[in-house]
Structures are given as structure tokens and as C-alpha cells.
Amino acid sequence: MDMWPRIAEVLITPPGIIILLLLLTFIAYLRRQWLGAAMLVLSTIVLVALSLPLTAHQLMNGLENFSKPPELVAMAEKGPQAALYVPQNSMNDPPEAIVVLGSGRYTEAPEYDLADTVSTQGLERLRYAAFLQRKTGLPILVSGGAPGGEDTAEAEHMQAVLSEDFHANVKWVERESRTTVENARYSQALLVPAKVRHIYLVTHAWHMRRAARAFESGRPLK
């Protein structure tokens, strides 16, 4: 069931869309040379447009506007709660946990004795999760399985990096997910018994819209 959205994603994003256009161009050329020539021009224009930094900037702007980081404010002016922060727009019903989604692995890292560890993008997510925990004091859930059949789930590498490198505590480790939808499903299976309803969801801007939709579709999390 989850295979088809993944195939569609590969086909409509670079370089998949370029390869698809070139394949259609070849088929069109075999049927009508003028149509093949026209599609070759179109494919070249699309390739050049997608290669421009301006195009990437415009595409990322739309995604980043959807997923701006929360504006954190102190829970109280004085007392113990003055050291803890909550989102300004949900002070009366703040998040109760931090969920970090995996972002691939760095396989057989030579600088770590050929052991697997988290990817560069994964490190960016983990750093922000550790920052959020210091600000909010909330527990962290890491989510990521072993979609390639690896011996160790990605979430376990995430837990190790958070603990050893960022000195953050991980309460839940979700090891089974292979897709964003499964990230949401299996994370909720751990959080619902703990009566967690609202979360900070940590991922990249380009991934946030799809990830948020997956979590929101599986109520009661928001």
C-alpha cells in the first residue's frame, strides 16, 4: 500500500521527472519526429529550470512557510516554571513530548570504525530535538526502523547520538517504521498509552507537510 506513493514521489521529483520526460521523448520520437523534437526542447527547459538555485529557493520557501519553528516563551515569570518554555500560540495546552523522525543513515562510517550512524540531515534533526528538550524539559521519542534490512534500527543510532553527543534523554525508541506513515502509526502506539496528545514534531521543512498530515490522520495526536 505504501509502495505507490513512494514510486509517485520518485517520478515527480528530480531526477525522476527528467528521466520520465526523456523516456516519453524517446517514445514520441519513434512515433513522430517533430513531437519528439518538441519534447526534447521541453525536457531541456525543465532540466535547466530545476537546476537553477532560484527554483530551489522558491520551492523551499513554500515549504518553510508551512513549517516555521515555534516561538517559545517562558511558562511563568517566576518560580521553577520560569526555566521552561512553551509555544506562544498554545500556552494553555502545550505539547507533551518531542518526536524526531529518522532521515537515513551514514553506512560504515570510516571515522567510526566502519560502524553505521545517523546521516547529516539526521544530525540536524537530533540537534534541534536536544535544543527543544533543554528548553521544554519534555521527553523525546526517536522513530526510524531498518528499511534496508540492517541489523540495527535507525532509531537506536539516533538514541545513541542524542545520549552520547548531545547529552539528551530518550524515553521512547520506535524501531519498526519504514515510511513516514509508519513513523506516525508506530509512534502513536507508544505515545497514546502515556496519554500524550500534543507533540513537537521534528523533521525538515521539505518533509514537514507530509509528516504532519500522517500524524494528524491518526488522532488523538495533534
Side-chain angles (χ1 to χ4, degrees):
M1 182 68 69
D2 295 326
M3 177 180 64
W4 295 110
R6 178 60 179 162
I7 292 174
E9 178 186 344
V10 169
L11 290 178
I12 65 176
T13 55
I17 190 171
I18 304 299
I19 296 172
L20 180 61
L21 278 173
L22 289 174
L23 177 61
L24 293 174
T25 297
F26 177 71
I27 295 172
Y29 182 80
L30 292 178
R31 293 178 175 272
R32 290 182 174 82
Q33 291 188 1
W34 67 267
L35 180 59
M39 291 194 63
L40 180 60
V41 172
L42 174 63
S43 300
T44 303
I45 292 172
V46 171
L47 176 60
V48 171
L50 292 176
S51 301
L52 294 174
L54 178 62
T55 305
H57 178 73
Q58 292 299 323
L59 291 173
M60 285 301 296
N61 261 353
L63 294 172
E64 289 173 349
N65 287 336
F66 171 82
S67 55
K68 292 180 179 179
E71 295 184 18
L72 301 175
V73 296
M75 292 182 66
E77 294 183 2
K78 298 180 180 179
Q81 290 188 326
L84 298 177
Y85 291 75
V86 295
Q88 189 173 26
N89 60 357
S90 58
M91 294 187 65
N92 296 326
D93 195 10
E96 299 145 319
I98 301 165
V99 176
V100 196
L101 305 187
S103 183
R105 66 181 67 214
Y106 178 16
T107 305
E108 296 182 353
E111 64 271 43
Y112 297 115
D113 298 324
L114 299 179
D116 289 0
T117 185
V118 299
S119 66
T120 302
Q121 289 187 337
L123 275 173
E124 293 173 353
R125 299 181 186 184
L126 296 177
R127 181 185 179 188
Y128 185 64
F131 165 80
L132 276 180
Q133 186 173 73
R134 289 193 298 272
K135 285 283 188 179
T136 66
L138 294 176
I140 293 176
L141 182 150
V142 290
S143 176
E150 297 88 352
D151 292 334
T152 305
E154 186 180 341
E156 295 181 39
H157 295 304
M158 297 165 69
Q159 180 186 29
V161 169
L162 278 170
S163 175
E164 297 169 11
D165 298 335
F166 294 110
H167 307 291
N169 298 317
V170 176
K171 184 171 183 178
W172 302 280
V173 180
E174 186 285 295
R175 301 175 175 86
E176 305 301 323
S177 58
R178 299 164 298 170
T179 65
T180 301
V181 172
E182 290 183 355
N183 284 146
R185 183 184 307 152
Y186 299 147
S187 294
Q188 288 179 329
L190 295 173
L191 294 174
V192 169
K195 297 183 179 179
V196 173
R197 298 181 302 114
H198 297 175
I199 62 170
Y200 290 103
L201 183 59
V202 180
T203 185
H204 277 79
W206 52 264
H207 184 235
M208 183 61 78
R209 189 184 298 270
R210 181 157 55 96
R213 197 170 290 163
F215 274 83
E216 288 170 354
S217 65
R219 302 295 179 184
L221 293 182
K222 296 182 180 179

